[in-house]
Amino acid sequence: APSGAATPARPRPVPRPRAAVEARTLRQDNWWVAPVFTVAVLTGFTVYGIWAALRDGNYFAKPYLSPFYSPCLSANCTDDASPHIFGNIDPVSPAFLILLFPLGFRLTCYYYRKAYYRSFWWAPPACAVPDARRGYSGETKFPLLLQNAHRYFFYFALIFAGLLTYDAVLAFIFPGGRFGIGVGTGVLVVNSALIWCYTLSCHSCRHLCGGGLKLLSKAPLRRRIWARLSVLNRNHMWFAWASLLWIMVADFYVWLVASGTITDPHWIS
Ligand code: FES
């Protein structure tokens, strides 16, 4: 086109009508298992998370701190193992202040979006199965437009991964400053490892490292990091589930020890 001439707008694709098939779907496998499983696990986690956040106690058993209450914001961590930022902030459970960030990260996660759009909203529930609702606006309007905040939540997620790593390191320092290893130490170390895997396999992280470049070959370091992250990224779904379930395990274990229900088996030097 001559310089200065407006580029002609591309014609919009005309949606083709659905083939005249009577059946709602031709799939004969158990496509509904995945959405039902997702609803069950996410509902279970939500119920557990509400209980854990509301209990506002028994979340610290030196040297273990529950990930639901990390970083330790209140004086209720009755030891100096973690910094107390706000002193005693009762009656608000500190978990509610903390969980806003990891929750925002997970709610806007590309994988979880797919999971809950399919399972809770049936939009659509599975490939080759139609949406429950006729209208579809994608994520172009409020409130789903807010899903774009995911890339910003990623930066907070990095901070939280660092904090949980700090807690895992502290889990080796038993009363009296003595080095030790307990079952709780292992639980918190696995927790921080899974959180790192989930965070670093994030699509936003991968884009941050390898996106926005015309030629990857011109940025060899970024290319190398991007290639490593891509390996993690392929397993993002598994890290999403494993890290979610393990946070529950870690919190429950700390609660068991802190409430005196069990004694943590450990070895101290
Ligand atoms: Fe899942 Fe970013 S895409 S955490």
Side-chain angles (χ1 to χ4, degrees):
S3 75
T7 318
R10 260 205 239 151
R12 288 184 141 225
V14 181
R16 278 189 290 174
R18 189 171 182 257
V21 178
E22 293 235 333
R24 207 172 126 68
T25 177
L26 295 178
R27 282 186 67 164
Q28 294 186 345
D29 59 335
N30 295 328
W31 57 264
W32 48 270
V33 170
V36 168
F37 175 80
T38 307
V39 167
V41 176
L42 291 184
T43 306
F45 181 81
T46 306
V47 171
Y48 180 87
I50 291 171
W51 172 75
L54 286 176
R55 81 171 185 259
D56 196 9
N58 289 330
Y59 51 78
F60 179 66
K62 191 172 172 74
Y64 310 137
L65 175 63
S66 158
F68 276 73
Y69 288 83
S70 177
C72 190
L73 296 180
S74 90
N76 288 342
C77 300
T78 53
D79 203 289
D80 58 0
S82 292
H84 308 147
I85 298 172
F86 293 146
N88 197 338
I89 56 172
D90 280 349
V92 182
S93 168
F96 284 114
L97 302 177
I98 294 165
L99 291 178
L100 281 179
F101 297 96
L103 199 66
F105 186 51
R106 292 206 181 234
L107 271 180
T108 57
C109 162
Y110 291 81
Y111 168 68
Y112 281 115
R113 269 142 80 173
K114 171 188 152 189
Y116 65 75
Y117 288 176
R118 285 192 168 192
S119 54
F120 285 89
W121 300 346
W122 286 54
C127 292
V129 181
D131 291 37
R133 291 178 349 142
R134 280 185 168 269
Y136 176 74
S137 65
E139 293 172 336
T140 56
K141 291 187 193 152
F142 182 81
L144 291 186
L145 197 61
L146 296 179
Q147 301 281 31
N148 284 312
H150 184 65
R151 70 197 78 165
Y152 305 111
F153 276 116
F154 169 72
Y155 297 110
F156 288 104
L158 280 181
I159 296 171
F160 274 85
L163 289 168
L164 294 176
T165 307
Y166 177 65
D167 292 337
V169 171
L170 290 182
F172 287 92
I173 305 169
F174 281 74
R178 290 161 66 195
F179 176 82
I181 296 178
V183 172
T185 313
V187 168
L188 293 189
V189 168
V190 171
N191 185 55
S192 87
L194 286 174
I195 290 292
W196 273 115
C197 288
Y198 174 60
T199 307
L200 294 180
S201 63
C202 167
H203 293 67
S204 292
C205 174
R206 185 168 173 259
H207 177 74
L208 199 68
C209 296
L213 288 172
K214 287 224 162 87
L215 277 176
L216 259 182
S217 56
K218 291 266 188 241
L221 180 63
R222 286 183 67 182
R223 185 181 189 284
R224 227 176 299 154
I225 298 173
W226 173 83
R228 301 267 188 294
L229 291 176
S230 298
V231 175
L232 284 179
N233 181 261
R234 266 175 242 145
N235 297 299
H236 189 57
M237 178 183 88
W238 299 112
F239 294 136
W241 286 117
S243 58
L244 187 84
L245 294 175
W246 200 263
I247 288 174
M248 261 191 320
V249 170
D251 175 77
F252 191 64
Y253 186 79
V254 174
W255 175 76
L256 286 174
V257 177
S259 62
T261 310
I262 62 164
T263 306
D264 173 61
H266 57 258
W267 165 85
I268 300 180
S269 66

